[in-house]
Amino acid sequence: MDKQVLYDFNLERVVSEVIETNARRVLIQLPNGMKNYIPYIINYLKEKLRGNVELFVSTSHTYGACDIAEDEALRIGADLIVHFGHTPHPLYPKPKVRTLFIEAFINIKPSVNLIDKLVNKLHDLGLSRVGLAASLQYIKYMNYLALELEKRNFTVIVGRNKYENLMYPGQVLGCEYSCILSIENRVDGFIVVSGGKFHQLGASLVTSKPVIGVDPHREEVYDMSSMRDITLRKRYYKIMKAMDAENWGIVLGIKPGQFNYNAYGELINLLNNKGKKYIVFTANEINQHILRNIDTEYIEVFVVIACPRVVIDDLADYPKPVLTLGEAFMALTGRLDKYLFR
């Protein structure tokens, strides 16, 4: 492995899969943060496969395993999609085109400096029993961290997911935190390992316990309490503005891993029971430009039935309330005692 390659792309496994399945046309899909490794991956595969396979690379965004480039693969006649950086999504375990999921674990271990920072933060917050969680790339890093914390007399617990046949213990997605909830009553707080604060924020929205974020790249350790409080204040403001709305716009995401027709049916039944009026839209991509194209004075509030993080992270500043599915149920039922992350 090249010392400059930060992730284990497990390219030997990719070569074996291509040979074993006799694939002749392969589509490579990577998250944006890994696209700079495209030359490394393609050059390795070309050398090992010796020109017997056509290799294509998707430039499209991929927001997770809920967003496989199967339409692109079907269009070019690909026999195989190699999807780096995710495990199969619980709502989308079987894409239309054979798909190989490669975890791409990060190739670093916790430094002494980071461990010292983390221990000090745990002592400051009075946390001795902690739950550990991480996004996929950092699962091995998380396990190393658990060993180091146990050496320092902390009790460490890693929760299991309700989709444990598809996900590792302690693994979180931007929309899936069951491993957090499974041990919430057994710990004083949580440590969530990931680059940035995306997954850490999601974890802090599903539990009332303290959440400490660990960013291995920047070697940063931070308390998520302030960011959680600011986010919840903004979300409750949107919810309360929507409570008296009569005319609703429902945006149903149709990405295969985000399409949730059962939840859509629940919401429509509730809207009908409350005597609300609504227009239903379908959308593959959901962003501010899409909403502005369909917005009118008639619509008072939008509900996005897709990934909740689209609303929380990308549409928070839209001039009208844009709610997640869970927030819509809160607004329509008036049950505001607990934030519903859904």
Side-chain angles (χ1 to χ4, degrees):
M1 176 67 70
D2 191 317
K3 290 183 178 180
Q4 295 183 347
V5 177
L6 193 59
Y7 303 95
D8 179 6
F9 290 109
N10 203 353
L11 296 180
E12 300 88 350
R13 184 182 172 200
V14 176
V15 171
S16 295
E17 181 78 8
V18 171
I19 294 172
E20 289 174 11
T21 61
N22 198 31
R24 287 291 173 262
R25 190 168 290 176
V26 177
L27 179 64
I28 307 294
Q29 188 177 22
L30 302 104
N32 286 347
M34 293 182 181
K35 284 188 168 69
N36 57 312
Y37 291 109
I38 289 170
Y40 166 77
I41 292 169
I42 295 300
N43 288 335
Y44 181 97
L45 295 179
K46 283 185 175 181
E47 179 183 346
K48 296 296 182 180
L49 296 169
R50 301 187 181 280
N52 295 322
V53 179
E54 286 187 272
L55 299 173
F56 297 80
V57 181
S58 171
T59 62
S60 302
H61 296 292
T62 177
Y63 301 103
C66 61
D67 194 15
I68 306 298
E70 60 177 24
D71 289 339
E72 295 174 42
L74 289 168
R75 183 63 60 88
I76 65 172
D79 308 296
L80 177 69
I81 299 171
V82 180
H83 182 95
F84 290 97
H86 302 103
T87 49
H89 193 276
L91 297 180
Y92 186 25
K94 292 183 179 180
K96 295 175 184 176
V97 178
R98 184 183 182 93
T99 301
L100 174 65
F101 292 92
I102 300 292
E103 292 92 341
F105 294 119
I106 197 167
N107 289 318
I108 58 176
K109 295 181 180 180
S111 69
V112 173
N113 178 54
L114 183 138
I115 294 167
D116 288 343
K117 287 182 182 179
L118 181 56
V119 168
N120 290 336
K121 181 66 71 175
L122 291 171
H123 285 317
D124 289 345
L125 296 175
L127 308 181
S128 59
R129 297 178 61 86
V130 292
L132 258 63
S135 58
L136 177 61
Q137 275 68 57
Y138 305 93
I139 290 294
K140 290 185 177 181
Y141 184 101
M142 177 195 76
N143 291 333
Y144 289 126
L145 195 60
L147 294 174
E148 294 298 330
L149 290 175
E150 287 172 343
K151 291 178 184 177
R152 290 159 177 80
N153 298 318
F154 291 94
T155 299
V156 177
I157 303 175
V158 176
R160 303 193 72 85
N161 295 284
K162 63 179 177 179
Y163 304 107
E164 59 184 355
N165 61 317
L166 296 174
M167 299 173 66
Y168 289 88
Q171 181 187 345
V172 296
L173 306 177
C175 60
E176 216 301 303
Y177 295 90
S178 57
C179 66
I180 296 282
L181 297 175
S182 71
I183 57 174
E184 187 176 22
N185 295 329
R186 300 168 57 194
V187 299
D188 305 319
F190 291 93
I191 299 167
V192 180
V193 184
S194 188
K197 296 182 179 179
F198 178 81
H199 295 91
Q200 291 88 336
L201 176 60
S204 71
L205 294 177
V206 303
T207 178
S208 59
K209 297 290 179 72
V211 173
I212 297 174
V214 171
D215 185 330
H217 303 278
R218 296 183 174 89
E219 293 206 334
E220 290 181 350
V221 174
Y222 39 80
D223 182 356
M224 291 298 299
S225 299
S226 177
M227 189 174 183
R228 169 172 53 196
D229 292 345
I230 291 170
T231 301
L232 285 177
R233 283 199 295 269
K234 290 180 178 178
R235 299 319 306 163
Y236 271 95
Y237 174 72
K238 302 285 186 182
I239 293 166
M240 296 185 74
K241 281 189 69 175
M243 290 179 72
D244 296 325
E246 293 297 325
N247 302 312
W248 294 58
I250 313 302
V251 183
L252 179 61
I254 60 170
K255 287 184 184 295
Q258 297 180 14
F259 181 68
N260 194 339
Y261 199 76
N262 290 335
Y264 161 77
E266 289 181 59
L267 179 61
I268 294 302
N269 288 337
L270 184 55
L271 288 167
N272 287 331
N273 290 338
K274 296 291 183 179
K276 306 295 185 182
K277 298 177 182 179
Y278 55 86
I279 299 173
V280 181
F281 303 91
T282 60
N284 185 42
E285 294 290 332
I286 304 171
N287 52 47
Q288 293 216 17
H289 299 295
I290 297 296
L291 291 190
R292 290 184 188 280
N293 283 336
I294 61 175
D295 202 352
T296 67
E297 291 184 6
Y298 176 84
I299 296 174
E300 300 169 73
V301 55
F302 284 101
V303 181
V304 174
I305 304 177
C307 176
R309 302 306 295 270
V310 172
V311 173
I312 294 170
D313 297 280
D314 300 334
L315 299 173
D317 296 328
Y318 195 77
K320 291 182 180 179
V322 183
L323 306 183
T324 67
L325 180 66
E327 292 168 354
F329 282 115
M330 292 171 68
L332 289 165
T333 62
R335 298 173 185 167
L336 305 179
D337 56 317
K338 183 178 181 180
Y339 182 74
L340 185 56
F341 184 87
R342 183 179 177 189

